[in-house]
Amino acid sequence: MAHLLSASCPSVISLSSSSKNSVKPFVSGQTFFNAQLFSRSSLKGLLFQEKKPRKSCVFRATAVPITQQAPPETSTNNSSSKPKRVMVIGGDGYCGWATALHLSKKNYEVCIVDNLVRRLFDHQLGLESLTPIASIHDRISRWKALTGKSIELYVGDICDFEFLAESFKSFEPDSVVHFGEQRSAPYSMIDRSRAVYTQHNNVIGTLNVLFAIKEFGEECHLVKLGTMGEYGTPNIDIEEGYITITHNGRTDTLPYPKQASSFYHLSKVHDSHNIAFTCKAWGIRATDLNQGVVYGVKTDETEMHEELRNRLDYDAVFGTALNRFCVQAAVGHPLTVYGKGGQTRGYLDIRDTVQCVEIAIANPAKAGEFRVFNQFTEQFSVNELASLVTKAGSKLGLDVKKMTVPNPRVEAEEHYYNAKHTKLMELGLEPHYLSDSLLDSLLNFAVQFKDRVDTKQIMPSVSWKKIGVKTKSMTT
């Protein structure tokens, strides 16, 4: 499949079909980045085997249509003139890819910024998505062919401010949707190097985004993916970002207390504090979406063609609870309930993730405002999820069992949990609740691809208390 690539950077590199071999995707099966801390320059070398450039480059990819272009649909966003421009950082990932397609379909002009390191993590740890996923170039090309809509691609690391600055100046986004972070709590707890990588990547990357907005797009609205895990499991109701308290006769509205439970969650707390500060100091407008646990794989857009298919992680490092349970049921592995199974969290369908992002963009924060939305639709305990999957599996003829696994995490296994989540509903969110039909669909999807399951990746292998201990299932 042909692609036309051009690079826009201080030292411009033009990539045509005749020069493709000068920049090759990293495909070696023997050499992946070391488990110890690796430099940003070494990461670039792994992603693209090329001679060392003097300066970072912005790779912009426009896919060549494969079939006749479809006519563009009528714009659905609020602009009366030209479409709004949205930069999706981390647009090759699980939530980011679905969001990029959804916004493009809604007639936003979209670009993806990604260093493709999530794919590298799979190679590093010996993992693989349940679903075969196409390269980012083939994905974008197929989308162009099916819809006639272009998604621009900037391949690079947002921790490299020069690269990010060039991307901002080139694309000039009205909104930035920031998914571009290492998003796994277990990954951050494997060892020291991954804990440091998580915090450096997430905190420095977000700081760079904030500075880019300050310097190159003062009116740009930041939509940042946070996590409900920032709050922990307090014995009081969880509000949306802020809590009004009275202490010694005086009352104030303050940021809700944070009780992060991993180095990953801590990085998200640091992000929130940095964003709140820059909103106050620089007048940045920002929405922090504290997202719950996401499940599902299908959206209207990813279902259009197999090359648009999203990834589905079922392993104990990157897989979320309901997705993992459905895959375990499909292959006849007992559902892995950690500890007592009373751990309760907020959950939402990936179709609601893309809805929530669209709502936040269409209703931007005011200049200097730091908004916090709790982004989930329902609450479930691990035991409740296991029961739902067991019931749905039995209807499909699956013999679903569950097993109690010693909890690798440090967390309360029985606790009060009541989190507010009204703001997105008030702005128009139409949720997809966890129905029997949705569970049937997810289970059938898992059965369809069950031959791709590596059962060695199902059991937890990362311990919060034994961080840094080498495990048989983790390659270094």
Side-chain angles (χ1 to χ4, degrees):
M1 188 175 297
H3 303 284
L4 299 179
L5 300 177
S6 64
S8 172
C9 59
S11 299
V12 176
I13 300 175
S14 178
L15 300 180
S16 64
S17 58
S18 62
S19 63
K20 278 184 181 179
N21 291 335
S22 64
V23 181
K24 299 178 180 179
F26 178 70
V27 295
S28 169
Q30 297 178 350
T31 308
F32 302 104
F33 71 82
N34 194 280
Q36 303 303 312
L37 267 179
F38 52 89
S39 68
R40 296 284 154 181
S41 59
S42 67
L43 176 57
K44 291 178 186 175
L46 288 170
L47 292 172
F48 295 95
Q49 292 178 338
E50 57 179 321
K51 294 181 180 180
K52 293 182 179 178
R54 287 178 297 172
K55 293 186 178 181
S56 60
C57 297
V58 181
F59 294 97
R60 301 180 61 186
T62 302
V64 177
I66 302 170
T67 61
Q68 185 176 2
Q69 293 185 6
E73 50 180 69
T74 303
S75 176
T76 57
N77 59 40
N78 294 329
S79 174
S80 58
S81 53
K82 61 181 182 179
K84 296 293 186 181
R85 302 173 67 80
V86 183
M87 174 182 286
V88 181
I89 301 175
D92 188 44
Y94 174 54
C95 292
W97 175 242
T99 299
L101 292 188
H102 180 77
L103 294 175
S104 179
K105 185 69 179 298
K106 294 289 186 178
N107 271 339
Y108 289 90
E109 292 187 14
V110 177
C111 82
I112 287 174
V113 175
D114 205 300
N115 64 0
L116 310 183
V117 73
R118 176 63 188 87
R119 295 173 185 254
L120 197 59
F121 290 160
D122 279 352
H123 291 301
Q124 178 202 16
L125 300 178
L127 308 175
E128 193 171 29
S129 166
L130 177 73
T131 52
I133 52 174
S135 73
I136 185 61
H137 303 288
D138 287 347
R139 282 175 155 186
I140 291 173
S141 178
R142 179 60 64 180
W143 180 249
K144 172 76 171 182
L146 292 173
T147 67
K149 299 176 185 296
S150 296
I151 294 177
E152 295 187 42
L153 173 65
Y154 298 77
V155 176
D157 190 345
I158 65 170
C159 288
D160 176 353
F161 187 73
E162 184 178 12
F163 159 77
L164 183 62
E166 288 298 320
S167 302
F168 256 78
K169 289 186 288 186
S170 173
F171 187 71
E172 298 181 336
D174 298 297
S175 300
V176 172
V177 181
H178 184 12
F179 291 107
E181 299 196 319
Q182 192 295 101
R183 55 99 168 167
S184 165
Y187 186 90
S188 75
M189 300 300 294
I190 292 174
D191 54 24
R192 183 200 64 83
S193 67
R194 291 176 177 90
V196 172
Y197 170 79
T198 298
Q199 298 228 345
H200 181 272
N201 181 81
N202 295 1
V203 177
I204 302 304
T206 298
L207 271 174
N208 279 349
V209 171
L210 292 168
F211 272 93
I213 291 173
K214 177 179 181 290
E215 295 184 25
F216 309 115
E218 291 183 354
E219 297 301 313
C220 183
H221 175 212
L222 173 62
V223 179
K224 169 66 166 60
L225 193 76
T227 170
M228 290 297 295
E230 293 185 34
Y231 298 121
T233 55
N235 199 38
I236 58 173
D237 291 353
I238 297 173
E239 305 297 330
E240 295 200 64
Y242 298 90
I243 185 171
T244 300
I245 62 173
T246 299
H247 179 65
N248 291 341
R250 301 186 68 84
T251 300
D252 201 354
T253 298
L254 303 170
Y256 195 96
K258 305 295 179 69
Q259 300 181 74
S261 59
S262 73
F263 290 120
Y264 155 74
H265 290 105
L266 283 163
S267 74
K268 292 288 196 176
V269 173
H270 302 330
D271 287 340
S272 295
H273 289 160
N274 285 337
I275 298 170
F277 169 72
T278 55
C279 286
K280 182 185 297 185
W282 302 339
I284 285 176
R285 58 186 79 225
T287 302
D288 202 6
L289 298 176
N290 282 341
Q291 183 167 253
V293 183
V294 185
Y295 59 82
V297 67
K298 297 180 180 181
T299 64
D300 291 343
E301 294 77 30
T302 63
E303 283 294 279
M304 291 172 62
H305 193 278
E306 63 182 13
E307 285 189 319
L308 302 181
R309 185 181 290 134
N310 208 348
R311 69 179 303 122
L312 183 68
D313 299 306
Y314 64 88
D315 59 272
V317 177
F318 288 101
T320 57
L322 184 58
N323 287 349
R324 289 193 295 111
F325 281 177
C326 287
V327 173
Q328 290 167 14
V331 299
H333 191 288
L335 309 186
T336 53
V337 174
Y338 294 173
K340 296 178 180 178
Q343 302 94 316
T344 302
R345 301 291 187 269
Y347 288 80
L348 78 162
D349 191 304
I350 192 167
R351 291 174 295 179
D352 292 339
T353 289
V354 302
Q355 257 200 97
C356 291
V357 172
E358 183 191 0
I359 288 171
I361 292 171
N363 301 274
K366 300 175 184 177
E369 180 184 11
F370 177 62
R371 297 187 306 190
V372 181
F373 296 162
N374 290 346
Q375 183 173 302
F376 70 96
T377 57
E378 297 177 275
Q379 294 181 177
F380 298 102
S381 70
V382 173
N383 284 328
E384 288 171 335
L385 289 180
S387 296
L388 290 170
V389 172
T390 299
K391 181 180 177 181
S394 65
K395 292 181 179 178
L396 299 178
L398 300 174
D399 183 19
V400 184
K401 307 291 185 183
K402 75 174 184 177
M403 63 187 298
T404 298
V405 177
N407 195 346
R409 306 187 180 207
V410 177
E411 62 183 357
E413 295 177 1
E414 294 177 320
H415 56 84
Y416 177 79
Y417 196 83
N418 184 37
K420 306 293 179 61
H421 57 111
T422 61
K423 293 181 181 179
L424 284 163
M425 296 286 196
E426 291 167 357
L427 288 174
L429 173 63
E430 298 178 358
H432 298 83
Y433 293 115
L434 185 56
S435 62
D436 290 344
S437 60
L438 186 281
L439 277 172
D440 288 348
S441 174
L442 189 51
L443 282 166
N444 277 308
F445 193 83
V447 170
Q448 178 185 352
F449 292 99
K450 69 177 183 178
D451 291 341
R452 291 176 53 84
V453 175
D454 178 3
T455 56
K456 296 190 299 296
Q457 303 298 338
I458 290 177
M459 296 298 290
S461 55
V462 180
S463 170
W464 267 229
K465 291 185 177 180
K466 298 179 181 179
I467 185 171
V469 175
K470 301 302 180 185
T471 60
K472 293 182 180 179
S473 63
M474 291 290 171
T475 56
T476 59

